[in-house]
Amino acid sequence: QVQLVDSGGGSVQAGGSLRLSCIVSGPIYEYNCLGWFRQAPGKERAGVAAVGRDFGSPSYDDSVKGRFTISQDHAKDTMYLQMNSLKPEDSAMYFCAAAYSTEACTSATILWNHRYRAQGNQVTVSS
């Protein structure tokens, strides 16, 4: 079974940066798409970013394009989400997740089709 352990997050002022990490383990045939989704109190879950496990361009929700960067370090089986120019509306619980998709790997894929997810990390951005 695929396991994801995420870390990072915390509190920062608007305009600041944070980095989330996610260690992925388990059979690789169970997933081919990795990424993050987030959920804020009183709001619907939203896909944030995604990237194919082996290839493909990263995908971002419009709300984070140009500010967030998703990347992988295959040697460490780790995925990262670098978040810059953070805004108060970015405050949410962030979950890294894994999906198996026969179509494109997008932030929507991670949101709606993830099979596995980590426990989540809180990101709080104050104005």
Side-chain angles (χ1 to χ4, degrees), residues 32-33 52 55 99-106 109 113:
N32 59 5
C33 178
F55 58 88
Y100 188 88
S101 176
T102 57
E103 300 179 350
C105 175
T106 67
T109 303
N113 297 327

Side-chain angles (χ1 to χ4, degrees), residues 1-117:
Q1 183 171 340
V2 176
Q3 292 187 324
L4 301 100
V5 179
D6 54 4
S7 60
S11 297
V12 67
Q13 288 191 327
S17 298
L18 287 172
R19 188 176 79 162
L20 303 179
S21 301
C22 180
I23 300 174
V24 186
S25 62
I28 61 173
Y29 57 79
E30 290 280 348
Y31 66 98
N32 59 5
C33 178
L34 294 165
W36 268 271
F37 65 91
R38 66 187 180 185
Q39 184 160 27
K43 296 184 179 180
E44 293 186 355
R45 285 183 177 182
V48 176
V51 66
R53 187 195 67 218
D54 298 321
F55 58 88
S57 299
S59 166
Y60 300 96
D61 184 75
D62 287 344
S63 64
V64 306
K65 279 182 181 176
R67 301 187 297 120
F68 290 14
T69 302
I70 188 170
S71 62
Q72 298 181 82
D73 184 337
H74 290 285
K76 297 181 179 180
D77 294 326
T78 302
M79 175 176 60
Y80 303 98
L81 185 68
Q82 178 66 42
M83 304 182 292
N84 298 329
S85 302
L86 282 161
K87 303 175 180 180
E89 52 263 43
D90 293 319
S91 297
M93 185 72 80
Y94 284 70
F95 300 87
C96 73
Y100 188 88
S101 176
T102 57
E103 300 179 350
C105 175
T106 67
S107 56
T109 303
I110 286 296
L111 174 63
W112 298 113
N113 297 327
H114 67 269
R115 292 181 177 180
Y116 307 97
R117 67 166 178 85

